[in-house]
Amino acid sequence: MYCTRSITDDIVWVGASDRRLALFENLFPIPRGVSYNAYLIMDEKTALIDTVDASVSRQFLENLLHTLSGKPLDYLIVNHMEPDHCACIGELLYRFPEMKLVGNSKTFTMIAKFFEPIDAERSVIVGENAALTLGAHTLRFYTAPMVHWPEVMVTYDEKEQLLFSADAFGSFGALNGCLFDDEIDFAKDWLADARRYYSNIVGKYGLPVQAALKKLSALPIRTICPLHGPVWRSDLSLLLNKYDLWSRYEPEERAIALFYGSMYGSTENAVNILACKLAEAGIKNIAVYDVSVTHVSTLIAEIFRCSHLVFAAPTYNNGIYPAVQNLLHDMTALGLKNRTAAVIENGSWAPVCGKQMTEQLGSLADFRILEPVVTVQSSLKEDSLSMLDTLAKHLAASLTEA
């Protein structure tokens, strides 16, 4: 049975949600599932904006066929060739032999890698600001390379002032009937997943996102239809402001997050004491994470959120404790910048990871490393407690400075 929702009189959401999938891209936990959004424009000519993942293809096809009600599908517009959005291209080519595919030149290069090459008579190659008229609806196409694949483009409906934004402005999380941002409590129930989605999926590509935001700022936009998560028709400024901050790698909040790895509890004890000292200094809403039991995608999202970061680890095989090293590796791969950081090291006979953590953090752009680097030798003693007290004061002063 079909399950659709109308975006406007002529545009229908024909996507589906998957609550069974445990890992998005086989990497990122999605306990609330994920939606795969596709949109059908009903006009003199019909146009489908993207398809869905193979896992929800049956629901998608029922939605599509019901909405078409016997009309042909004239165009499939391919904004993004990632398999969770292009999986049904072959099926649609078979079902609708007159259907034409619309994409840019890079789109068709990539289609030939996932499927058989598309015949020229079924291909419509569009360039920047190219137009496609369906009747009352005129669509325009704008490239958005590396947001977050090289072939990505977005589609703008001039009649509705509506942007089909590909993976931009998306979020983890299945849609529970409520499709629109004004039907949910975004800040309470969706912001964390939207942040985690952006920071891990798109986070490396801040400069291309900034370029896309600048390009799209010239368009009057009333509605944003992403390929994952809610459709935005109300408080667009909230979403756009978050993307502007995240893509400039500016912290979302002046806040402290502490990340630690601990083998037997002594490093954890030092972090707990530091957190208490910070709270006694008036710092509120401190976040503390054991990196061994918290997925790295959550840690990365918190690093995008917070201005001040503390990393604590034991020395392990003359290096950094592996779980902390993995976090630092991801931070480097994503090009994190513009943060204040502090370091706590532990080691029973040769504590050396503090220097290594400091060097890795120092290699990131505009990372300020606070002194002192606190050294714990096996367990916290009075001398290291004094260093911890100094670090707490420096953190508190840095957080509250203008």
Side-chain angles (χ1 to χ4, degrees):
M1 175 61 74
Y2 66 90
C3 180
T4 64
R5 287 204 63 184
S6 294
I7 308 291
T8 69
D9 290 342
D10 303 328
I11 301 176
V12 181
W13 176 84
V14 293
S17 287
D18 186 351
R19 298 179 183 84
R20 298 184 179 186
L21 186 67
L23 297 174
F24 187 80
E25 295 185 349
N26 213 23
L27 281 174
F28 307 111
I30 46 171
R32 300 198 309 133
V34 66
S35 73
Y36 302 105
N37 300 337
Y39 307 92
L40 182 63
I41 304 174
M42 299 292 290
D43 205 334
E44 294 173 22
K45 296 287 187 178
T46 60
L48 176 67
I49 313 295
D50 291 296
T51 75
V52 298
D53 188 76
S55 64
V56 294
S57 59
R58 177 178 174 179
Q59 180 71 72
F60 160 72
L61 288 169
E62 290 184 3
N63 294 345
L64 176 63
L65 294 173
H66 166 78
T67 307
L68 284 169
S69 297
K71 291 189 68 173
L73 180 58
D74 296 300
Y75 298 104
L76 169 58
I77 295 164
V78 184
N79 282 329
H80 186 22
M81 272 300 298
E82 202 165 2
D84 57 335
H85 306 298
C86 76
C88 299
I89 288 178
E91 177 74 15
L92 295 180
L93 287 167
Y94 173 76
R95 285 178 177 263
F96 301 99
E98 303 303 316
M99 180 189 77
K100 294 185 177 182
L101 267 63
V102 180
N104 57 61
S105 58
K106 291 181 180 178
T107 306
F108 286 97
T109 299
M110 201 165 284
I111 286 176
K113 295 179 180 180
F114 282 99
F115 304 97
E116 294 299 319
I118 306 301
D119 294 338
E121 63 268 18
R122 300 193 71 176
S123 303
V124 179
I125 299 176
V126 294
E128 188 76 8
N129 200 33
L132 176 66
T133 298
L134 306 177
H137 295 261
T138 296
L139 306 180
R140 290 200 177 270
F141 307 99
Y142 301 93
T143 57
M146 299 319 301
V147 186
H148 59 120
W149 276 28
E151 89 302 350
V152 171
M153 68 181 190
V154 298
T155 301
Y156 179 71
D157 184 328
E158 292 184 341
K159 176 179 183 290
E160 305 290 355
Q161 297 184 338
L162 183 152
L163 180 72
F164 299 102
S165 63
D167 264 352
F169 309 118
S171 175
F172 296 133
L175 296 169
N176 300 326
C178 297
L179 177 63
F180 299 100
D181 68 302
D182 52 23
E183 298 175 333
I184 60 176
D185 187 334
F186 180 78
K188 175 178 175 288
D189 297 326
W190 283 86
L191 177 56
D193 266 336
R195 183 190 301 115
R196 190 163 65 92
Y197 176 88
Y198 175 87
S199 58
N200 290 276
I201 304 297
V202 191
K204 180 180 178 65
Y205 305 107
L207 284 176
V209 172
Q210 279 288 305
L213 288 173
K214 183 177 180 180
K215 181 187 296 186
L216 297 175
S217 67
L219 300 174
I221 299 173
R222 294 190 301 181
T223 306
I224 296 177
C225 293
L227 288 177
H228 299 289
V231 169
W232 286 78
R233 65 182 182 185
S234 297
D235 192 4
L236 271 62
S237 62
L238 170 63
L239 183 66
L240 293 169
N241 288 339
K242 293 295 184 186
Y243 258 66
D244 180 50
L245 275 178
W246 295 336
S247 60
R248 288 189 289 111
Y249 302 97
E250 293 293 337
E252 192 178 333
E253 301 175 19
R254 291 192 69 81
I256 297 180
L258 293 79
F259 307 91
Y260 74 89
S262 189
M263 297 170 63
Y264 301 110
S266 293
T267 307
E268 179 182 21
N269 176 244
V271 167
N272 285 334
I273 291 171
L274 175 60
C276 286
K277 290 180 178 295
L278 291 170
E280 289 170 350
I283 307 302
K284 301 181 186 299
N285 300 318
I286 301 162
V288 179
Y289 295 95
D290 181 345
V291 300
S292 296
V293 298
T294 307
H295 194 269
V296 68
S297 66
T298 298
L299 306 178
I300 289 294
E302 282 292 83
I303 290 168
F304 268 77
R305 180 179 69 87
C306 296
S307 60
H308 288 62
L309 316 169
V310 177
F311 299 91
T315 298
Y316 196 89
N317 289 334
N318 291 320
I320 303 169
Y321 189 63
V324 177
Q325 177 63 73
N326 183 48
L327 174 58
L328 295 174
H329 173 271
D330 273 23
M331 291 171 60
T332 302
L334 292 170
L336 264 296
K337 60 180 70 172
N338 301 326
R339 296 296 187 274
T340 298
V343 170
I344 301 171
E345 66 172 352
N346 197 343
S348 292
W349 59 89
V352 297
C353 69
K355 180 175 182 292
Q356 296 171 16
M357 287 191 287
T358 299
E359 289 174 349
Q360 289 194 36
L361 292 167
S363 71
L364 299 173
D366 299 318
F367 256 68
R368 173 191 176 196
I369 313 299
L370 292 179
E371 296 291 345
V373 172
V374 177
T375 298
V376 177
Q377 291 192 287
S378 298
S379 62
L380 203 62
K381 299 293 192 299
E382 287 300 322
D383 56 346
S384 47
L385 183 62
S386 175
M387 295 174 67
L388 203 64
D389 189 57
T390 300
L391 180 59
K393 292 176 181 176
H394 290 175
L395 276 165
S398 175
L399 186 70
T400 56
E401 69 186 12

mmCIF file of all heavy atoms in Angstrom, residues 6 13 28-29 51 60 89 100 131 155 181 184 241 243 274 282 310 318 323 344 351 354 366 372 374 397 399:
data_model
loop_
_atom_site.group_PDB
_atom_site.id
_atom_site.type_symbol
_atom_site.label_atom_id
_atom_site.label_comp_id
_atom_site.label_asym_id
_atom_site.label_seq_id
_atom_site.Cartn_x
_atom_site.Cartn_y
_atom_site.Cartn_z
ATOM 1 N N SER A 6 1.920 15.069 0.413
ATOM 2 C CA SER A 6 2.015 16.177 -0.537
ATOM 3 C C SER A 6 2.899 17.279 0.024
ATOM 4 O O SER A 6 2.748 17.692 1.182
ATOM 5 C CB SER A 6 0.619 16.737 -0.843
ATOM 6 O OG SER A 6 -0.161 15.781 -1.531
ATOM 7 N N TRP A 13 5.920 13.767 -1.955
ATOM 8 C CA TRP A 13 6.997 12.939 -1.399
ATOM 9 C C TRP A 13 6.641 11.484 -1.628
ATOM 10 O O TRP A 13 5.570 11.022 -1.218
ATOM 11 C CB TRP A 13 7.150 13.239 0.099
ATOM 12 C CG TRP A 13 8.160 12.372 0.798
ATOM 13 C CD1 TRP A 13 9.500 12.552 0.870
ATOM 14 C CD2 TRP A 13 7.888 11.193 1.581
ATOM 15 N NE1 TRP A 13 10.092 11.569 1.626
ATOM 16 C CE2 TRP A 13 9.117 10.720 2.068
ATOM 17 C CE3 TRP A 13 6.716 10.492 1.901
ATOM 18 C CZ2 TRP A 13 9.225 9.583 2.870
ATOM 19 C CZ3 TRP A 13 6.818 9.360 2.693
ATOM 20 C CH2 TRP A 13 8.051 8.914 3.176
ATOM 21 N N PHE A 28 28.086 4.254 10.402
ATOM 22 C CA PHE A 28 27.532 5.157 11.400
ATOM 23 C C PHE A 28 26.254 4.588 12.003
ATOM 24 O O PHE A 28 25.287 4.323 11.278
ATOM 25 C CB PHE A 28 27.238 6.521 10.770
ATOM 26 C CG PHE A 28 28.421 7.108 10.042
ATOM 27 C CD1 PHE A 28 28.415 7.234 8.665
ATOM 28 C CD2 PHE A 28 29.549 7.504 10.737
ATOM 29 C CE1 PHE A 28 29.505 7.752 7.980
ATOM 30 C CE2 PHE A 28 30.651 8.025 10.073
ATOM 31 C CZ PHE A 28 30.631 8.147 8.698
ATOM 32 N N PRO A 29 26.208 4.396 13.320
ATOM 33 C CA PRO A 29 24.987 3.870 13.950
ATOM 34 C C PRO A 29 23.803 4.808 13.737
ATOM 35 O O PRO A 29 23.935 6.026 13.865
ATOM 36 C CB PRO A 29 25.354 3.807 15.440
ATOM 37 C CG PRO A 29 26.849 3.797 15.482
ATOM 38 C CD PRO A 29 27.292 4.606 14.311
ATOM 39 N N THR A 51 15.948 8.668 -6.721
ATOM 40 C CA THR A 51 15.276 7.448 -6.297
ATOM 41 C C THR A 51 15.696 7.167 -4.853
ATOM 42 O O THR A 51 15.977 8.102 -4.110
ATOM 43 C CB THR A 51 15.580 6.266 -7.245
ATOM 44 O OG1 THR A 51 16.905 5.760 -7.024
ATOM 45 C CG2 THR A 51 15.430 6.684 -8.692
ATOM 46 N N PHE A 60 8.857 2.494 -2.288
ATOM 47 C CA PHE A 60 9.048 3.611 -3.217
ATOM 48 C C PHE A 60 8.280 3.391 -4.513
ATOM 49 O O PHE A 60 7.584 4.295 -5.010
ATOM 50 C CB PHE A 60 10.542 3.780 -3.490
ATOM 51 C CG PHE A 60 10.883 4.542 -4.730
ATOM 52 C CD1 PHE A 60 10.682 5.907 -4.803
ATOM 53 C CD2 PHE A 60 11.394 3.881 -5.844
ATOM 54 C CE1 PHE A 60 10.994 6.617 -5.953
ATOM 55 C CE2 PHE A 60 11.712 4.573 -6.990
ATOM 56 C CZ PHE A 60 11.506 5.944 -7.050
ATOM 57 N N ILE A 89 17.489 3.237 -10.456
ATOM 58 C CA ILE A 89 17.565 3.766 -11.821
ATOM 59 C C ILE A 89 17.300 2.667 -12.843
ATOM 60 O O ILE A 89 16.517 2.849 -13.787
ATOM 61 C CB ILE A 89 18.931 4.436 -12.062
ATOM 62 C CG1 ILE A 89 19.009 5.768 -11.302
ATOM 63 C CG2 ILE A 89 19.157 4.672 -13.562
ATOM 64 C CD1 ILE A 89 20.338 6.478 -11.446
ATOM 65 N N LYS A 100 13.404 9.819 -19.698
ATOM 66 C CA LYS A 100 14.738 10.351 -19.938
ATOM 67 C C LYS A 100 15.409 10.690 -18.609
ATOM 68 O O LYS A 100 14.753 11.135 -17.663
ATOM 69 C CB LYS A 100 14.671 11.594 -20.824
ATOM 70 C CG LYS A 100 14.182 11.294 -22.237
ATOM 71 C CD LYS A 100 14.236 12.537 -23.115
ATOM 72 C CE LYS A 100 13.810 12.183 -24.538
ATOM 73 N NZ LYS A 100 13.894 13.365 -25.439
ATOM 74 N N ALA A 131 17.723 25.134 -17.801
ATOM 75 C CA ALA A 131 16.302 25.082 -17.458
ATOM 76 C C ALA A 131 15.638 23.883 -18.115
ATOM 77 O O ALA A 131 15.998 23.481 -19.234
ATOM 78 C CB ALA A 131 15.605 26.369 -17.874
ATOM 79 N N THR A 155 18.441 20.974 -7.647
ATOM 80 C CA THR A 155 17.395 21.354 -8.594
ATOM 81 C C THR A 155 16.460 22.365 -7.929
ATOM 82 O O THR A 155 15.990 22.131 -6.816
ATOM 83 C CB THR A 155 16.600 20.117 -9.038
ATOM 84 O OG1 THR A 155 17.492 19.183 -9.655
ATOM 85 C CG2 THR A 155 15.507 20.501 -10.027
ATOM 86 N N ASP A 181 9.424 20.349 8.924
ATOM 87 C CA ASP A 181 10.112 20.843 10.115
ATOM 88 C C ASP A 181 9.163 21.466 11.128
ATOM 89 O O ASP A 181 9.447 21.467 12.329
ATOM 90 C CB ASP A 181 11.199 21.856 9.729
ATOM 91 C CG ASP A 181 10.620 23.148 9.162
ATOM 92 O OD1 ASP A 181 9.890 23.100 8.158
ATOM 93 O OD2 ASP A 181 10.893 24.207 9.729
ATOM 94 N N ILE A 184 7.690 18.883 13.842
ATOM 95 C CA ILE A 184 8.594 18.227 14.785
ATOM 96 C C ILE A 184 9.219 19.275 15.698
ATOM 97 O O ILE A 184 9.141 20.480 15.442
ATOM 98 C CB ILE A 184 9.708 17.463 14.044
ATOM 99 C CG1 ILE A 184 10.535 18.436 13.175
ATOM 100 C CG2 ILE A 184 9.124 16.327 13.207
ATOM 101 C CD1 ILE A 184 11.719 17.806 12.488
ATOM 102 N N ASN A 241 21.769 28.731 9.063
ATOM 103 C CA ASN A 241 22.771 29.243 9.998
ATOM 104 C C ASN A 241 23.645 28.122 10.553
ATOM 105 O O ASN A 241 24.860 28.299 10.738
ATOM 106 C CB ASN A 241 22.091 29.997 11.144
ATOM 107 C CG ASN A 241 21.523 31.331 10.701
ATOM 108 O OD1 ASN A 241 21.936 31.882 9.677
ATOM 109 N ND2 ASN A 241 20.568 31.860 11.455
ATOM 110 N N TYR A 243 24.364 25.305 8.999
ATOM 111 C CA TYR A 243 25.264 24.892 7.925
ATOM 112 C C TYR A 243 26.383 25.904 7.716
ATOM 113 O O TYR A 243 27.531 25.537 7.414
ATOM 114 C CB TYR A 243 24.473 24.684 6.628
ATOM 115 C CG TYR A 243 24.231 23.221 6.346
ATOM 116 C CD1 TYR A 243 23.413 22.472 7.186
ATOM 117 C CD2 TYR A 243 24.834 22.570 5.272
ATOM 118 C CE1 TYR A 243 23.191 21.123 6.956
ATOM 119 C CE2 TYR A 243 24.617 21.230 5.032
ATOM 120 C CZ TYR A 243 23.798 20.501 5.873
ATOM 121 O OH TYR A 243 23.594 19.163 5.655
ATOM 122 N N LEU A 274 38.726 16.797 36.885
ATOM 123 C CA LEU A 274 38.776 18.027 36.100
ATOM 124 C C LEU A 274 37.366 18.543 35.830
ATOM 125 O O LEU A 274 37.103 19.748 35.950
ATOM 126 C CB LEU A 274 39.507 17.779 34.777
ATOM 127 C CG LEU A 274 39.537 18.961 33.801
ATOM 128 C CD1 LEU A 274 40.230 20.175 34.414
ATOM 129 C CD2 LEU A 274 40.222 18.557 32.488
ATOM 130 N N GLY A 282 32.026 27.336 37.705
ATOM 131 C CA GLY A 282 30.851 27.949 37.104
ATOM 132 C C GLY A 282 30.542 27.503 35.689
ATOM 133 O O GLY A 282 29.609 28.025 35.064
ATOM 134 N N VAL A 310 38.998 18.671 25.583
ATOM 135 C CA VAL A 310 40.057 18.076 26.400
ATOM 136 C C VAL A 310 40.224 16.625 25.960
ATOM 137 O O VAL A 310 39.233 15.880 25.853
ATOM 138 C CB VAL A 310 39.724 18.133 27.897
ATOM 139 C CG1 VAL A 310 40.814 17.447 28.721
ATOM 140 C CG2 VAL A 310 39.540 19.581 28.360
ATOM 141 N N ASN A 318 54.083 2.882 23.542
ATOM 142 C CA ASN A 318 54.836 4.096 23.218
ATOM 143 C C ASN A 318 54.083 5.018 22.257
ATOM 144 O O ASN A 318 54.692 5.823 21.546
ATOM 145 C CB ASN A 318 56.215 3.756 22.621
ATOM 146 C CG ASN A 318 57.140 3.145 23.646
ATOM 147 O OD1 ASN A 318 57.165 3.574 24.799
ATOM 148 N ND2 ASN A 318 57.892 2.124 23.237
ATOM 149 N N ALA A 323 41.927 4.089 20.832
ATOM 150 C CA ALA A 323 40.622 4.723 20.625
ATOM 151 C C ALA A 323 40.748 6.236 20.511
ATOM 152 O O ALA A 323 40.039 6.883 19.726
ATOM 153 C CB ALA A 323 39.669 4.355 21.756
ATOM 154 N N ILE A 344 45.691 15.657 28.601
ATOM 155 C CA ILE A 344 46.101 14.926 29.803
ATOM 156 C C ILE A 344 46.678 13.595 29.342
ATOM 157 O O ILE A 344 46.045 12.873 28.554
ATOM 158 C CB ILE A 344 44.905 14.672 30.741
ATOM 159 C CG1 ILE A 344 44.251 15.986 31.177
ATOM 160 C CG2 ILE A 344 45.326 13.852 31.952
ATOM 161 C CD1 ILE A 344 42.942 15.796 31.933
ATOM 162 N N PRO A 351 55.481 8.085 30.070
ATOM 163 C CA PRO A 351 54.344 8.809 29.498
ATOM 164 C C PRO A 351 54.793 9.710 28.348
ATOM 165 O O PRO A 351 55.416 10.753 28.580
ATOM 166 C CB PRO A 351 53.804 9.615 30.682
ATOM 167 C CG PRO A 351 54.982 9.777 31.600
ATOM 168 C CD PRO A 351 55.830 8.573 31.427
ATOM 169 N N GLY A 354 51.291 12.499 25.567
ATOM 170 C CA GLY A 354 50.916 13.906 25.644
ATOM 171 C C GLY A 354 51.588 14.717 24.556
ATOM 172 O O GLY A 354 50.940 15.541 23.886
ATOM 173 N N ASP A 366 44.386 26.550 13.249
ATOM 174 C CA ASP A 366 43.794 27.422 14.263
ATOM 175 C C ASP A 366 43.349 26.655 15.507
ATOM 176 O O ASP A 366 42.322 26.967 16.110
ATOM 177 C CB ASP A 366 42.615 28.209 13.674
ATOM 178 C CG ASP A 366 43.046 29.097 12.526
ATOM 179 O OD1 ASP A 366 44.108 29.732 12.640
ATOM 180 O OD2 ASP A 366 42.335 29.135 11.492
ATOM 181 N N PRO A 372 48.826 23.759 31.341
ATOM 182 C CA PRO A 372 49.878 22.771 31.097
ATOM 183 C C PRO A 372 49.327 21.489 30.498
ATOM 184 O O PRO A 372 48.135 21.217 30.603
ATOM 185 C CB PRO A 372 50.406 22.514 32.506
ATOM 186 C CG PRO A 372 49.185 22.636 33.380
ATOM 187 C CD PRO A 372 48.366 23.744 32.762
ATOM 188 N N VAL A 374 48.924 17.997 31.329
ATOM 189 C CA VAL A 374 48.921 17.315 32.639
ATOM 190 C C VAL A 374 49.443 15.901 32.469
ATOM 191 O O VAL A 374 48.953 15.147 31.615
ATOM 192 C CB VAL A 374 47.508 17.300 33.236
ATOM 193 C CG1 VAL A 374 47.501 16.521 34.554
ATOM 194 C CG2 VAL A 374 46.995 18.725 33.447
ATOM 195 N N ALA A 397 38.936 30.219 32.222
ATOM 196 C CA ALA A 397 39.214 31.584 31.789
ATOM 197 C C ALA A 397 39.089 31.710 30.270
ATOM 198 O O ALA A 397 38.551 32.690 29.758
ATOM 199 C CB ALA A 397 40.622 31.982 32.235
ATOM 200 N N LEU A 399 37.262 29.854 28.270
ATOM 201 C CA LEU A 399 35.868 29.687 27.840
ATOM 202 C C LEU A 399 35.069 30.975 28.002
ATOM 203 O O LEU A 399 34.194 31.281 27.193
ATOM 204 C CB LEU A 399 35.210 28.553 28.621
ATOM 205 C CG LEU A 399 33.807 28.173 28.171
ATOM 206 C CD1 LEU A 399 33.846 27.488 26.808
ATOM 207 C CD2 LEU A 399 33.144 27.253 29.186
#
